Every structure is written in C-alpha cells, then in structure tokens.
Amino acid sequence: MLLTSAMSGFTSGMGLLICVGSQNAFVLKQGLLRHHLFAVAATCILSDIILISSGIAGLGTLVKHWPNVMEFVRYTGVVFLAWMALSSAKQAWYGNAHLTPSGTAPAHIKPVLMSCLAFTWLNPQVYLDTVFMLGSLSMPYSGIEKWKFAIGALTASAIWFVAITYGAKVLLPLFRKPHAWRVLDTTVALMMVYFCVSLLTTPLISS
C-alpha cells in the first residue's frame, strides 16, 4: 500500500505540474539566465510543501466555503499577470540584448525571489492544482496512507523544479541568440495574456 499511495501521489503531482503555466515559464527563464537557481528551485519546492500539505490536510474544503478568498486571489492574479504580460511584451519589442546568459550580471536575489513568490502565491492555478485537485485526489486515502500520497506528490514537485531550473542549460546554445529571447518573451507575454483573460472570464469556484 505504501508504494501504491506514494506512486499515486507522485504521478498525480507530476501530471499537474508538467504544464506550461506562468510559474513554470518564470522558473524556466531563470534557469536559462543561470541566476539564483538553488534559491528559485527551493522557493518553489518549499511553497509546494505548504500548499500540497494544506490541500491534503483539508484546506481545499475550507477555502471552498469561503469563495471570497479565491476571488481576491483571482483578481490580484489578473493584475499581476497583466503587468507581467506588458513587461514581457516590452522586452520582446525592444529585444533586450543584455539577456544573453553569458554576458548578463546576476540580478539581485531579492527581486528574483519576490517575483518567484508572486508567480507562486498570486497564481490561482497553483491553488486549483496543489490545494483543490491534489486534496481531492488524496481523499480515497486515510491516515498514514494520505501522507504517503503527499510525500509522492512532493517528490514530484522537487524533481520537476530541479529539472527545469538546472536542466534549462541544455537550451543555452539556442538562447545565446538575442532573437531566441525575443521569441521566448513574446511567447511568455501571450501566455500571460491568455491566463489573465481566462481568470477574468472563468470563475475559480462554481456557484
């Protein structure tokens, strides 16, 4: 039963994590820039520990009974994503040459971590995936088996964020060209617009 519950948590967590979202786009970009990789990966993993544990402990049910909490997160996320879409669009338009990894001075760690926290905690999709979905998927388990499921999901989170931060270097030869960064920034801007519009048009909790 240990293997069953842990593997179920691992596959569920990995299935929810491996999607192109705003948080993953930010983490991938930091991985390409080679800036503060450990701090970014650790921030994402520690945040998932809190969110996944809370979801499995029952926070998802609590939040569902207080929809105003999610509505606040929803509209805060809209503002944040709209701002990030504008920033990425400006970078794509002007083609910031200083983004070349080999010639870029590392950004200060504080703004990088603040952005990482914002992409994590102001992203309603994170709550839907880690709190509601994983919390719901853990319901068939009880007692220690429920927490074995949580360990599996947290293992998936750790592997994923380490992989996209440290594994991004595989793409570095491509991103030594400024044009590639403009394409990436354009893609990120379009993604942010899509997520922003989705949040505006789709309630997070059905009434």
Side-chain angles (χ1 to χ4, degrees), residues 49-138:
I49 289 175
I50 296 171
L51 290 164
I52 291 172
S53 299
S54 298
I56 291 175
L59 183 61
T61 302
L62 178 64
V63 173
K64 190 170 183 178
H65 287 85
W66 294 85
N68 288 338
V69 173
M70 288 305 291
E71 285 299 286
F72 173 78
V73 173
R74 177 188 179 191
Y75 289 110
T76 304
V78 165
V79 173
F80 176 71
L81 290 173
W83 177 75
M84 289 306 302
L86 179 61
S87 298
S88 295
K90 286 175 64 178
Q91 288 181 359
W93 180 262
Y94 291 110
N96 294 336
H98 66 275
L99 287 177
T100 304
S102 60
T104 305
H108 291 296
I109 190 169
K110 183 176 179 180
V112 170
L113 291 185
M114 291 300 291
S115 294
C116 187
L117 288 169
F119 272 112
T120 301
W121 292 91
L122 294 182
N123 179 6
Q125 190 64 43
V126 169
Y127 293 91
L128 292 176
D129 290 345
T130 59
V131 176
F132 289 108
M133 290 299 295
L134 284 176
S136 298
L137 291 171
S138 71

